């Protein structure tokens, strides 16, 4: 079946650098995508979302890019800080347009080097 | 504002026992969800509910039962726990089926 996946399981960046976390999805029917951050021992926390009628959306220090042509989603974090260390999940709204929950990727562990 | 809470946070039980995990949200969100998180599988949907008295199966519903008699509560019951149900369980809620979901802190369940 179709699923959401991630290119890299672990990403290590220097503090202050920009981070880019990638996600590939294969469900062309998905029209809503979310990035979540999960710190150790906690539940996933919403970062930013984007709908399929948009290519880019910016938040505070974060930007999500959506390329529907190649079914690719990315999360950019500017000026990475130690508090950004976490596992990041992309999620899509699944085959039924959202009513059946989200389909999550496996996650990317972002490690911040001092 | 309590948001979304889960109880217990940690639970150890034995194979064959019945276990109920509680989830409570204070936002009056219509949608609620249960996920399990396992290494190598990420988050997988067990059951969801679009409103009180309306529930539906997710990706991995076998061995689980849910109910939604009140909008704010969505308990998950393992009728006869198995070792394969050892996992971290997350409850989530949202105001709509296509909206952002808010997650609880999780319940770590160990079945011996």
């Amino acid at each position: 079946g179709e699923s959401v996946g991630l290119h890299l399981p672990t990403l290590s960046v220097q503090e202050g650098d920009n981070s880019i976390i990638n996600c590939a999805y294969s469900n062309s029917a998905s029209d809503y995508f979310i990035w979540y951050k999960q710190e150790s021992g906690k539940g996933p926390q919403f970062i930013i979302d984007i709908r399929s009628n948009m290519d880019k959306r910016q938040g505070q220090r974060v930007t999500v890019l959506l390329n529907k042509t190649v079914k690719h989603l990315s999360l950019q974090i500017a000026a990475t800080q130690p508090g950004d260390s976490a596992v990041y999940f992309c999620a899509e709204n699944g085959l039924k347009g959202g009513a059946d929950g989200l389909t999550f990727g496996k996650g990317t562990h972002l490690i911040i080097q001092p | 504002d309590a948001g979304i809470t889960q109880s217990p946070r940690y639970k150890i039980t034995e194979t064959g026992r019945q276990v109920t995990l509680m989830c409570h949200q204070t936002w009056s969100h219509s949608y609620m969800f249960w996920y399990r998180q396992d290494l190598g599988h990420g988050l997988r949907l067990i059951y969801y509910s679009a409103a009180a008295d309306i529930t539906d199966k997710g990706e991995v519903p076998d061995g689980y039962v849910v109910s939604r008699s009140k909008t704010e509560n969505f308990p998950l019951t393992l009728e006869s726990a198995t070792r394969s149900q050892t996992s971290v369980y997350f409850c989530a809620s949202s105001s709509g089926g296509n909206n952002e979901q808010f997650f609880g802190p999780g319940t770590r369940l160990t079945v011996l």
Side-chain angles (χ1 to χ4, degrees):
Chain A
E2 297 183 88
S3 64
V4 178
L6 288 161
H7 292 305
L8 295 172
T10 302
L11 177 64
S12 183
V13 299
Q14 293 288 327
E15 182 178 348
D17 287 351
N18 297 334
S19 302
I20 300 176
I21 301 172
N22 295 304
C23 179
Y25 68 95
S26 57
N27 184 354
S28 57
S30 293
D31 59 5
Y32 180 56
F33 304 88
I34 305 177
W35 280 101
Y36 281 93
K37 172 186 180 182
Q38 186 176 24
E39 297 174 282
S40 181
K42 297 183 179 180
Q45 179 185 4
F46 172 88
I47 302 174
I48 192 167
D49 60 2
I50 189 168
R51 298 195 184 272
S52 59
N53 60 351
M54 302 174 69
D55 297 322
K56 178 180 180 179
R57 190 161 188 228
Q58 289 184 292
Q60 187 177 12
R61 281 201 308 118
V62 295
T63 301
V64 56
L65 299 177
L66 176 62
N67 185 331
K68 295 180 285 293
T69 302
V70 295
K71 297 187 182 68
H72 185 266
L73 190 69
S74 68
L75 176 70
Q76 300 178 2
I77 305 174
T80 312
Q81 303 170 357
D84 294 328
S85 289
V87 176
Y88 290 81
F89 294 94
C90 64
E92 62 173 323
N93 67 343
L95 293 173
K96 298 179 183 178
D100 65 343
L102 299 170
T103 301
F104 286 81
K106 298 293 190 290
T108 292
H109 187 193
L110 179 64
I111 298 171
I112 311 303
Q113 305 282 3
Chain B
D1 185 358
I4 183 165
T5 56
Q6 293 182 236
S7 62
R9 293 295 315 279
Y10 302 90
K11 177 72 176 179
I12 299 174
T13 191
E14 295 178 334
T15 300
R17 290 190 179 269
Q18 182 178 84
V19 178
T20 296
L21 309 185
M22 305 301 294
C23 180
H24 175 79
Q25 52 104 357
T26 60
W27 294 305
S28 298
H29 284 166
S30 56
Y31 282 82
M32 295 188 75
F33 308 85
W34 273 107
Y35 294 89
R36 59 179 290 173
Q37 186 173 37
D38 306 286
L39 284 175
H41 291 282
L43 284 153
R44 292 181 291 174
L45 181 66
I46 304 171
Y47 268 97
Y48 71 100
S49 169
D53 297 321
I54 300 174
T55 63
D56 207 346
K57 296 178 180 179
E59 180 186 356
V60 289
D62 293 344
Y64 303 95
V65 175
V66 294
S67 62
R68 186 105 181 265
S69 58
K70 292 184 178 181
T71 300
E72 61 266 30
N73 296 322
F74 191 37
L76 176 73
T77 298
L78 289 66
E79 293 190 305
S80 180
T82 64
R83 289 195 181 89
S84 66
Q85 292 177 308
T86 293
S87 186
V88 181
Y89 291 85
F90 288 101
C91 179
S93 71
S94 72
S95 58
N98 205 24
N99 294 350
E100 169 193 353
Q101 293 182 18
F102 297 87
F103 283 80
T107 294
R108 183 174 293 276
L109 176 67
T110 301
V111 183
L112 302 176

CSV table of all heavy atoms in Angstrom, one decimal, chain A residues 31-32 34 36 38 41-46 49 51 89 93 96-106, chain B residues 9 31 33 35 37 40-43 45 48 56-58 90 96-106:
chain,number,residue,atom,x,y,z
A,31,ASP,N,-4.0,15.3,0.6
A,31,ASP,CA,-4.0,16.7,0.4
A,31,ASP,C,-3.7,17.6,1.6
A,31,ASP,O,-3.9,18.8,1.6
A,31,ASP,CB,-5.4,17.1,-0.2
A,31,ASP,CG,-6.5,16.7,0.8
A,31,ASP,OD1,-6.2,16.3,1.9
A,31,ASP,OD2,-7.7,16.9,0.4
A,32,TYR,N,-3.2,16.9,2.6
A,32,TYR,CA,-2.8,17.6,3.8
A,32,TYR,C,-1.6,16.9,4.5
A,32,TYR,O,-1.6,15.7,4.7
A,32,TYR,CB,-4.0,17.6,4.8
A,32,TYR,CG,-3.8,18.3,6.1
A,32,TYR,CD1,-3.4,19.6,6.2
A,32,TYR,CD2,-4.0,17.7,7.3
A,32,TYR,CE1,-3.2,20.3,7.4
A,32,TYR,CE2,-3.9,18.3,8.5
A,32,TYR,CZ,-3.5,19.6,8.5
A,32,TYR,OH,-3.3,20.3,9.7
A,34,ILE,N,1.6,17.2,7.5
A,34,ILE,CA,2.0,17.8,8.8
A,34,ILE,C,3.4,17.4,9.2
A,34,ILE,O,3.7,16.2,8.9
A,34,ILE,CB,1.0,17.4,10.0
A,34,ILE,CG1,-0.4,17.7,9.6
A,34,ILE,CG2,1.4,18.1,11.3
A,34,ILE,CD1,-1.4,17.3,10.7
A,36,TYR,N,5.6,16.8,12.6
A,36,TYR,CA,5.6,16.8,14.1
A,36,TYR,C,7.0,16.6,14.6
A,36,TYR,O,7.9,16.0,14.0
A,36,TYR,CB,4.7,15.6,14.5
A,36,TYR,CG,3.3,15.7,14.5
A,36,TYR,CD1,2.5,15.4,13.4
A,36,TYR,CD2,2.6,16.3,15.6
A,36,TYR,CE1,1.1,15.5,13.3
A,36,TYR,CE2,1.2,16.5,15.5
A,36,TYR,CZ,0.5,16.1,14.4
A,36,TYR,OH,-0.9,16.3,14.4
A,38,GLN,N,8.9,15.1,18.0
A,38,GLN,CA,8.7,14.3,19.2
A,38,GLN,C,10.0,14.3,20.0
A,38,GLN,O,11.0,13.7,19.6
A,38,GLN,CB,8.3,12.9,18.9
A,38,GLN,CG,7.9,12.1,20.1
A,38,GLN,CD,7.4,10.7,19.8
A,38,GLN,OE1,7.6,10.2,18.7
A,38,GLN,NE2,6.6,10.2,20.7
A,41,GLY,N,10.3,10.7,25.4
A,41,GLY,CA,9.3,10.6,26.5
A,41,GLY,C,8.1,11.4,26.4
A,41,GLY,O,7.3,11.5,27.3
A,42,LYS,N,7.9,12.1,25.2
A,42,LYS,CA,6.8,12.9,25.1
A,42,LYS,C,6.0,12.6,23.8
A,42,LYS,O,6.5,11.8,23.0
A,42,LYS,CB,7.2,14.4,25.0
A,42,LYS,CG,7.9,14.9,26.2
A,42,LYS,CD,8.2,16.4,26.0
A,42,LYS,CE,8.9,17.0,27.3
A,42,LYS,NZ,9.2,18.4,27.1
A,43,GLY,N,4.8,13.1,23.7
A,43,GLY,CA,4.0,12.9,22.6
A,43,GLY,C,4.4,13.8,21.4
A,43,GLY,O,5.1,14.8,21.6
A,44,PRO,N,4.0,13.4,20.2
A,44,PRO,CA,4.4,14.3,19.0
A,44,PRO,C,3.7,15.7,19.2
A,44,PRO,O,2.6,15.8,19.7
A,44,PRO,CB,3.7,13.6,17.9
A,44,PRO,CG,3.6,12.1,18.3
A,44,PRO,CD,3.4,12.2,19.8
A,45,GLN,N,4.5,16.7,18.8
A,45,GLN,CA,4.0,18.0,18.9
A,45,GLN,C,4.0,18.7,17.5
A,45,GLN,O,4.9,18.6,16.8
A,45,GLN,CB,5.0,18.8,19.8
A,45,GLN,CG,4.7,20.3,20.0
A,45,GLN,CD,5.8,21.0,20.8
A,45,GLN,OE1,6.8,20.5,21.1
A,45,GLN,NE2,5.5,22.3,21.1
A,46,PHE,N,2.9,19.3,17.2
A,46,PHE,CA,2.7,19.9,15.9
A,46,PHE,C,3.7,21.0,15.7
A,46,PHE,O,4.0,21.8,16.5
A,46,PHE,CB,1.3,20.5,15.9
A,46,PHE,CG,1.0,21.4,14.7
A,46,PHE,CD1,0.5,20.8,13.5
A,46,PHE,CD2,1.2,22.7,14.7
A,46,PHE,CE1,0.3,21.6,12.4
A,46,PHE,CE2,1.0,23.5,13.6
A,46,PHE,CZ,0.5,23.0,12.5
A,49,ASP,N,2.0,22.7,9.2
A,49,ASP,CA,1.3,21.9,8.2
A,49,ASP,C,1.2,22.7,6.9
A,49,ASP,O,1.5,23.8,6.8
A,49,ASP,CB,-0.1,21.6,8.8
A,49,ASP,CG,-1.0,22.8,9.0
A,49,ASP,OD1,-0.5,24.0,8.8
A,49,ASP,OD2,-2.1,22.6,9.5
A,51,ARG,N,-1.3,22.4,3.1
A,51,ARG,CA,-2.3,21.7,2.2
A,51,ARG,C,-1.8,21.7,0.8
A,51,ARG,O,-0.9,22.4,0.4
A,51,ARG,CB,-3.6,22.5,2.4
A,51,ARG,CG,-4.1,22.4,3.8
A,51,ARG,CD,-5.6,22.8,3.9
A,51,ARG,NE,-5.9,22.9,5.4
A,51,ARG,CZ,-6.4,21.8,6.1
A,51,ARG,NH1,-6.5,20.7,5.5
A,51,ARG,NH2,-6.7,21.9,7.3
A,89,PHE,N,8.7,13.7,12.5
A,89,PHE,CA,7.8,12.9,11.6
A,89,PHE,C,7.0,13.7,10.6
A,89,PHE,O,6.5,14.8,11.0
A,89,PHE,CB,6.8,12.2,12.5
A,89,PHE,CG,7.3,11.2,13.5
A,89,PHE,CD1,7.6,11.5,14.8
A,89,PHE,CD2,7.5,9.8,13.1
A,89,PHE,CE1,8.1,10.6,15.7
A,89,PHE,CE2,8.0,8.9,14.0
A,89,PHE,CZ,8.3,9.3,15.3
A,93,ASN,N,-2.6,12.8,5.3
A,93,ASN,CA,-3.9,12.5,5.8
A,93,ASN,C,-4.6,11.3,5.2
A,93,ASN,O,-5.8,11.1,5.4
A,93,ASN,CB,-4.8,13.8,5.6
A,93,ASN,CG,-5.1,14.0,4.2
A,93,ASN,OD1,-4.4,13.6,3.3
A,93,ASN,ND2,-6.1,14.8,3.9
A,96,LYS,N,-8.5,8.4,2.9
A,96,LYS,CA,-9.9,8.8,3.0
A,96,LYS,C,-10.0,10.3,3.2
A,96,LYS,O,-11.1,10.7,3.6
A,96,LYS,CB,-10.5,8.0,4.1
A,96,LYS,CG,-10.6,6.5,3.9
A,96,LYS,CD,-11.2,5.8,5.0
A,96,LYS,CE,-11.2,4.3,4.9
A,96,LYS,NZ,-11.8,3.6,6.0
A,97,GLY,N,-9.0,11.1,2.9
A,97,GLY,CA,-9.1,12.5,3.1
A,97,GLY,C,-9.1,13.0,4.5
A,97,GLY,O,-9.6,14.1,4.8
A,98,GLY,N,-8.6,12.2,5.4
A,98,GLY,CA,-8.3,12.8,6.7
A,98,GLY,C,-9.1,12.2,7.8
A,98,GLY,O,-8.8,12.3,9.0
A,99,ALA,N,-10.3,11.6,7.5
A,99,ALA,CA,-11.2,11.2,8.6
A,99,ALA,C,-10.7,9.9,9.3
A,99,ALA,O,-11.2,9.6,10.4
A,99,ALA,CB,-12.6,10.9,8.0
A,100,ASP,N,-9.7,9.3,8.8
A,100,ASP,CA,-9.2,8.0,9.4
A,100,ASP,C,-7.9,8.2,10.0
A,100,ASP,O,-7.1,7.3,10.2
A,100,ASP,CB,-9.2,6.9,8.4
A,100,ASP,CG,-8.1,7.2,7.3
A,100,ASP,OD1,-7.7,8.4,7.1
A,100,ASP,OD2,-7.7,6.2,6.6
A,101,GLY,N,-7.5,9.4,10.4
A,101,GLY,CA,-6.3,9.6,11.1
A,101,GLY,C,-5.2,9.9,10.1
A,101,GLY,O,-5.4,10.1,8.9
A,102,LEU,N,-4.0,10.0,10.6
A,102,LEU,CA,-2.8,10.3,9.9
A,102,LEU,C,-1.9,9.1,9.6
A,102,LEU,O,-1.9,8.2,10.4
A,102,LEU,CB,-2.0,11.4,10.6
A,102,LEU,CG,-2.7,12.7,10.8
A,102,LEU,CD1,-1.8,13.6,11.7
A,102,LEU,CD2,-2.9,13.4,9.5
A,103,THR,N,-1.2,9.1,8.5
A,103,THR,CA,-0.2,8.1,8.2
A,103,THR,C,1.1,8.7,8.4
A,103,THR,O,1.4,9.7,7.8
A,103,THR,CB,-0.4,7.5,6.8
A,103,THR,OG1,-1.7,7.0,6.6
A,103,THR,CG2,0.7,6.4,6.5
A,104,PHE,N,1.9,8.1,9.3
A,104,PHE,CA,3.2,8.7,9.7
A,104,PHE,C,4.4,8.0,9.0
A,104,PHE,O,4.3,6.8,8.8
A,104,PHE,CB,3.4,8.6,11.2
A,104,PHE,CG,2.5,9.6,12.0
A,104,PHE,CD1,1.2,9.2,12.3
A,104,PHE,CD2,3.1,10.7,12.5
A,104,PHE,CE1,0.4,10.1,13.0
A,104,PHE,CE2,2.3,11.6,13.2
A,104,PHE,CZ,1.0,11.3,13.5
A,105,GLY,N,5.4,8.8,8.7
A,105,GLY,CA,6.7,8.2,8.3
A,105,GLY,C,7.4,7.7,9.5
A,105,GLY,O,6.9,7.8,10.7
A,106,LYS,N,8.5,7.0,9.3
A,106,LYS,CA,9.2,6.3,10.4
A,106,LYS,C,9.9,7.3,11.3
A,106,LYS,O,10.3,7.0,12.4
A,106,LYS,CB,10.2,5.3,9.8
A,106,LYS,CG,9.6,4.2,9.0
A,106,LYS,CD,8.8,3.3,9.9
A,106,LYS,CE,8.3,2.0,9.2
A,106,LYS,NZ,7.3,2.3,8.2
B,9,ARG,N,0.2,6.6,33.0
B,9,ARG,CA,1.4,6.9,32.2
B,9,ARG,C,2.2,5.7,31.9
B,9,ARG,O,2.9,5.6,30.9
B,9,ARG,CB,2.2,8.0,32.8
B,9,ARG,CG,1.6,9.4,32.9
B,9,ARG,CD,1.3,10.0,31.5
B,9,ARG,NE,2.4,9.9,30.6
B,9,ARG,CZ,3.4,10.7,30.6
B,9,ARG,NH1,3.5,11.7,31.4
B,9,ARG,NH2,4.5,10.5,29.7
B,31,TYR,N,-13.1,14.8,17.0
B,31,TYR,CA,-12.3,13.6,16.6
B,31,TYR,C,-11.3,13.2,17.6
B,31,TYR,O,-10.7,14.1,18.2
B,31,TYR,CB,-11.6,13.9,15.3
B,31,TYR,CG,-12.4,13.8,14.0
B,31,TYR,CD1,-13.2,14.9,13.6
B,31,TYR,CD2,-12.4,12.6,13.3
B,31,TYR,CE1,-13.9,14.8,12.5
B,31,TYR,CE2,-13.2,12.5,12.1
B,31,TYR,CZ,-13.9,13.6,11.7
B,31,TYR,OH,-14.7,13.5,10.6
B,33,PHE,N,-8.4,9.9,18.5
B,33,PHE,CA,-7.6,8.8,17.8
B,33,PHE,C,-6.8,8.1,18.8
B,33,PHE,O,-6.3,8.6,19.8
B,33,PHE,CB,-6.7,9.4,16.8
B,33,PHE,CG,-7.3,10.3,15.8
B,33,PHE,CD1,-7.5,11.6,16.0
B,33,PHE,CD2,-7.7,9.8,14.5
B,33,PHE,CE1,-8.1,12.5,15.1
B,33,PHE,CE2,-8.3,10.7,13.6
B,33,PHE,CZ,-8.5,12.0,13.9
B,35,TYR,N,-3.2,5.7,18.7
B,35,TYR,CA,-2.1,5.2,18.0
B,35,TYR,C,-1.2,4.4,18.9
B,35,TYR,O,-1.1,4.6,20.1
B,35,TYR,CB,-1.2,6.4,17.5
B,35,TYR,CG,-1.8,7.3,16.4
B,35,TYR,CD1,-2.6,8.4,16.8
B,35,TYR,CD2,-1.7,7.0,15.1
B,35,TYR,CE1,-3.1,9.2,15.9
B,35,TYR,CE2,-2.3,7.9,14.1
B,35,TYR,CZ,-3.0,9.0,14.6
B,35,TYR,OH,-3.5,9.8,13.6
B,37,GLN,N,3.0,3.2,19.1
B,37,GLN,CA,4.3,3.6,18.6
B,37,GLN,C,5.3,2.5,18.9
B,37,GLN,O,5.6,2.2,20.1
B,37,GLN,CB,4.8,4.9,19.1
B,37,GLN,CG,6.1,5.4,18.4
B,37,GLN,CD,6.4,6.8,18.8
B,37,GLN,OE1,6.3,7.2,19.9
B,37,GLN,NE2,7.0,7.6,17.9
B,40,GLY,N,10.7,0.8,14.5
B,40,GLY,CA,10.6,0.2,13.2
B,40,GLY,C,9.3,0.3,12.5
B,40,GLY,O,9.1,0.0,11.3
B,41,HIS,N,8.2,0.8,13.3
B,41,HIS,CA,6.9,0.9,12.7
B,41,HIS,C,6.4,2.3,12.8
B,41,HIS,O,5.4,2.7,12.2
B,41,HIS,CB,5.9,0.0,13.4
B,41,HIS,CG,6.1,-1.5,13.1
B,41,HIS,ND1,5.8,-2.1,11.9
B,41,HIS,CD2,6.7,-2.4,13.8
B,41,HIS,CE1,6.1,-3.3,11.9
B,41,HIS,NE2,6.7,-3.6,13.1
B,42,GLY,N,7.0,3.2,13.6
B,42,GLY,CA,6.5,4.5,13.8
B,42,GLY,C,5.2,4.5,14.5
B,42,GLY,O,4.9,3.6,15.3
B,43,LEU,N,4.3,5.5,14.2
B,43,LEU,CA,3.0,5.6,14.8
B,43,LEU,C,2.0,4.9,13.9
B,43,LEU,O,1.9,5.2,12.7
B,43,LEU,CB,2.6,7.0,15.0
B,43,LEU,CG,3.3,7.8,16.1
B,43,LEU,CD1,3.4,9.2,15.9
B,43,LEU,CD2,2.5,7.5,17.4
B,45,LEU,N,-2.2,3.8,13.5
B,45,LEU,CA,-3.6,4.1,14.0
B,45,LEU,C,-4.3,2.8,14.4
B,45,LEU,O,-4.3,1.9,13.6
B,45,LEU,CB,-4.3,4.8,12.9
B,45,LEU,CG,-5.8,5.2,13.3
B,45,LEU,CD1,-5.8,6.3,14.4
B,45,LEU,CD2,-6.5,5.8,12.0
B,48,TYR,N,-10.2,5.2,15.6
B,48,TYR,CA,-10.6,6.6,15.7
B,48,TYR,C,-12.0,6.8,15.9
B,48,TYR,O,-12.8,5.8,15.7
B,48,TYR,CB,-10.0,7.4,14.5
B,48,TYR,CG,-10.8,7.1,13.2
B,48,TYR,CD1,-11.8,8.0,12.8
B,48,TYR,CD2,-10.5,6.0,12.5
B,48,TYR,CE1,-12.4,7.8,11.6
B,48,TYR,CE2,-11.2,5.7,11.3
B,48,TYR,CZ,-12.1,6.6,10.8
B,48,TYR,OH,-12.8,6.4,9.7
B,56,ASP,N,-14.4,3.8,14.5
B,56,ASP,CA,-14.0,3.1,13.3
B,56,ASP,C,-12.6,2.6,13.5
B,56,ASP,O,-11.8,3.1,14.2
B,56,ASP,CB,-14.1,4.0,12.1
B,56,ASP,CG,-14.4,3.1,10.8
B,56,ASP,OD1,-14.3,1.9,10.9
B,56,ASP,OD2,-14.8,3.8,9.8
B,57,LYS,N,-12.4,1.5,12.8
B,57,LYS,CA,-11.1,0.8,12.8
B,57,LYS,C,-10.0,1.6,12.1
B,57,LYS,O,-10.3,2.2,11.0
B,57,LYS,CB,-11.2,-0.6,12.3
B,57,LYS,CG,-12.1,-1.5,13.1
B,57,LYS,CD,-12.1,-2.9,12.4
B,57,LYS,CE,-13.0,-3.8,13.2
B,57,LYS,NZ,-13.1,-5.2,12.6
B,58,GLY,N,-8.8,1.5,12.6
B,58,GLY,CA,-7.7,2.0,11.9
B,58,GLY,C,-6.8,0.9,11.2
B,58,GLY,O,-7.4,-0.1,10.8
B,90,PHE,N,-0.5,6.4,22.2
B,90,PHE,CA,-0.8,7.8,22.2
B,90,PHE,C,-2.2,8.0,21.8
B,90,PHE,O,-2.7,7.5,20.8
B,90,PHE,CB,0.1,8.6,21.2
B,90,PHE,CG,1.6,8.7,21.7
B,90,PHE,CD1,2.5,7.8,21.2
B,90,PHE,CD2,1.9,9.7,22.6
B,90,PHE,CE1,3.8,7.9,21.6
B,90,PHE,CE2,3.2,9.8,23.0
B,90,PHE,CZ,4.2,8.9,22.6
B,96,GLY,N,-11.4,18.5,13.5
B,96,GLY,CA,-11.9,18.0,12.2
B,96,GLY,C,-11.1,16.9,11.7
B,96,GLY,O,-9.9,16.7,12.1
B,97,GLY,N,-11.6,16.1,10.8
B,97,GLY,CA,-10.9,15.0,10.3
B,97,GLY,C,-9.7,15.3,9.5
B,97,GLY,O,-8.8,14.5,9.3
B,98,ASN,N,-9.7,16.5,9.0
B,98,ASN,CA,-8.6,17.0,8.1
B,98,ASN,C,-7.8,18.1,8.7
B,98,ASN,O,-7.1,18.9,8.1
B,98,ASN,CB,-9.1,17.4,6.8
B,98,ASN,CG,-8.1,17.3,5.6
B,98,ASN,OD1,-7.2,16.5,5.7
B,98,ASN,ND2,-8.3,18.1,4.6
B,99,ASN,N,-7.8,18.1,10.0
B,99,ASN,CA,-7.1,19.2,10.8
B,99,ASN,C,-5.9,18.6,11.6
B,99,ASN,O,-5.8,17.4,11.8
B,99,ASN,CB,-8.1,19.9,11.7
B,99,ASN,CG,-9.1,20.6,10.9
B,99,ASN,OD1,-9.0,20.8,9.7
B,99,ASN,ND2,-10.1,21.1,11.6
B,100,GLU,N,-5.2,19.5,12.2
B,100,GLU,CA,-4.1,19.2,13.0
B,100,GLU,C,-4.6,18.4,14.2
B,100,GLU,O,-5.6,18.6,14.8
B,100,GLU,CB,-3.5,20.5,13.6
B,100,GLU,CG,-2.5,20.4,14.7
B,100,GLU,CD,-2.2,21.7,15.4
B,100,GLU,OE1,-2.7,22.7,14.9
B,100,GLU,OE2,-1.6,21.7,16.4
B,101,GLN,N,-3.8,17.3,14.6
B,101,GLN,CA,-4.1,16.5,15.7
B,101,GLN,C,-3.2,16.9,16.9
B,101,GLN,O,-2.0,17.1,16.7
B,101,GLN,CB,-3.9,15.0,15.4
B,101,GLN,CG,-4.9,14.5,14.4
B,101,GLN,CD,-4.8,13.1,14.1
B,101,GLN,OE1,-4.1,12.3,14.8
B,101,GLN,NE2,-5.4,12.6,13.0
B,102,PHE,N,-3.8,16.9,18.1
B,102,PHE,CA,-3.0,17.2,19.3
B,102,PHE,C,-2.9,15.9,20.1
B,102,PHE,O,-3.8,15.2,20.3
B,102,PHE,CB,-3.8,18.2,20.2
B,102,PHE,CG,-3.9,19.6,19.5
B,102,PHE,CD1,-5.0,19.8,18.6
B,102,PHE,CD2,-3.0,20.6,19.7
B,102,PHE,CE1,-5.1,21.0,18.0
B,102,PHE,CE2,-3.1,21.8,19.1
B,102,PHE,CZ,-4.2,22.0,18.3
B,103,PHE,N,-1.6,15.6,20.5
B,103,PHE,CA,-1.3,14.3,21.1
B,103,PHE,C,-1.2,14.5,22.6
B,103,PHE,O,-0.7,15.5,23.1
B,103,PHE,CB,0.0,13.8,20.5
B,103,PHE,CG,-0.2,13.2,19.2
B,103,PHE,CD1,-0.2,14.0,18.1
B,103,PHE,CD2,-0.3,11.8,19.0
B,103,PHE,CE1,-0.3,13.4,16.8
B,103,PHE,CE2,-0.4,11.2,17.8
B,103,PHE,CZ,-0.5,12.0,16.6
B,104,GLY,N,-1.6,13.4,23.3
B,104,GLY,CA,-1.4,13.3,24.7
B,104,GLY,C,0.1,12.9,25.0
B,104,GLY,O,0.9,12.6,24.1
B,105,PRO,N,0.4,12.7,26.3
B,105,PRO,CA,1.8,12.4,26.7
B,105,PRO,C,2.2,10.9,26.5
B,105,PRO,O,3.4,10.6,26.5
B,105,PRO,CB,1.9,12.8,28.1
B,105,PRO,CG,0.5,12.6,28.6
B,105,PRO,CD,-0.4,13.0,27.4
B,106,GLY,N,1.2,10.1,26.2
B,106,GLY,CA,1.5,8.7,26.0
B,106,GLY,C,1.4,7.8,27.2
B,106,GLY,O,1.5,8.3,28.4
